[in-house]
Amino acid sequence: MLKIDSHTHILPKKLPNWSDKFGYGDFIYLQHHKKGYAKMMRGNQFFREIKENAWNPELRIKEYEKFNTQVQVVCTIPVMFSYWAKAFDCLAISKFLNDHIAELVYKYPKNYLGLATIPMQDSELAIQELERVKELGLQGIQIGSNINDLNLNEERFFPIFQACEKLGMSILVHPWNMMGQQHMQRYWLPWLVGMPAETSRAICSMIFGGIFERLPNLRVNFAHAGGSFLPTIGRIRQGFDCRPDLVALDNPIDPKNYLGKFWVDSITHDAFMLEYVLKLQGSKRITLGSDYPFPLGDLEIGKFIEEMDLDNGIKEDIFYKASLEWLNISHERFN
Ligand SMILES: [Zn+2]
């Protein structure tokens, strides 16, 4: 069976020193301090150590063979978004990262599909880059759950979503810049608590802001099975029912109406939770995801789903059909 991993991250092996080039800011750069490893540095601060499978496409393909997975949808690591930088500098960084991904897709068309990053802080430049990466053969974009603390329903982002719908470009919304992180540094809480909340923040903002209502053909996938959105949908609906004066300000439609319209990935680490997500979303709206190559990901690429007692049709949906529909690609490409 074809398997498409809809959520993976990649970087070029070498990054320019953008702090020197632009003359400000703590941009990410890589220190290849020992063979097969690199340190991601933010200014002088160590951010994270990555291994060769974060940049070596052939090693990645080999690692994926162990889990019978042929296709990886790649995008950058959210810390590279650089929405905080000057828009033209962010555009330059985005182009560098997007060209790398486009080359990869061109070179290994049966193994890689690409999502771009765009300078969301400037709608005009963002759309300009969106149009360019469409020409380069990328399938869509990855964006953050908030843009410099602004929610995705802000009017300034609407033209970008509108352009995505018009151009048929898909969107992956990824949590980052986690709310409250400065108050919960211990125990990795920004990743364990902040990230699921961020994704719910993004989904709620897009629903209540009427984005899905105004753009019914926009194809959006939310990382980590939608974070805490689906587990708290009962509470969210209760809020919508009991305080429409606070919640239904811009969209009078019940949030439950949007279940099964957007996509979520399968990264739950938990069969029981995936069954629950299946009940709400349906199998056509759950894409196999891993967050490879990072340790908090499902690095056995959906092995727990293989082991679940699910109909073959449901497994086919999750393993590839839902991704093909989200990305608007035909199966023939991978024959
Ligand atoms: Zn991720």
Side-chain angles (χ1 to χ4, degrees), residues 7-9 75-76 78 142 172 174-175 223-224 267 291-292 294:
H7 177 170
T8 84
H9 300 284
C75 55
T76 195
Q142 174 194 214
L172 172 66
H174 199 293
H224 313 139
I267 308 174
D291 234 338
Y292 176 95
F294 299 124

Side-chain angles (χ1 to χ4, degrees), residues 58-95:
E58 290 180 3
L59 174 65
R60 291 171 68 107
I61 291 171
K62 233 177 252 157
E63 291 194 359
Y64 268 74
E65 277 171 6
K66 285 183 223 153
F67 301 101
N68 300 313
T69 305
Q70 182 187 334
V71 188
Q72 305 169 35
V73 182
V74 287
C75 55
T76 195
I77 303 173
V79 71
M80 303 302 297
F81 286 151
S82 311
Y83 299 148
W84 53 270
K86 292 177 191 165
F88 272 102
D89 299 337
C90 179
L91 177 66
I93 293 171
S94 302
K95 282 183 170 175

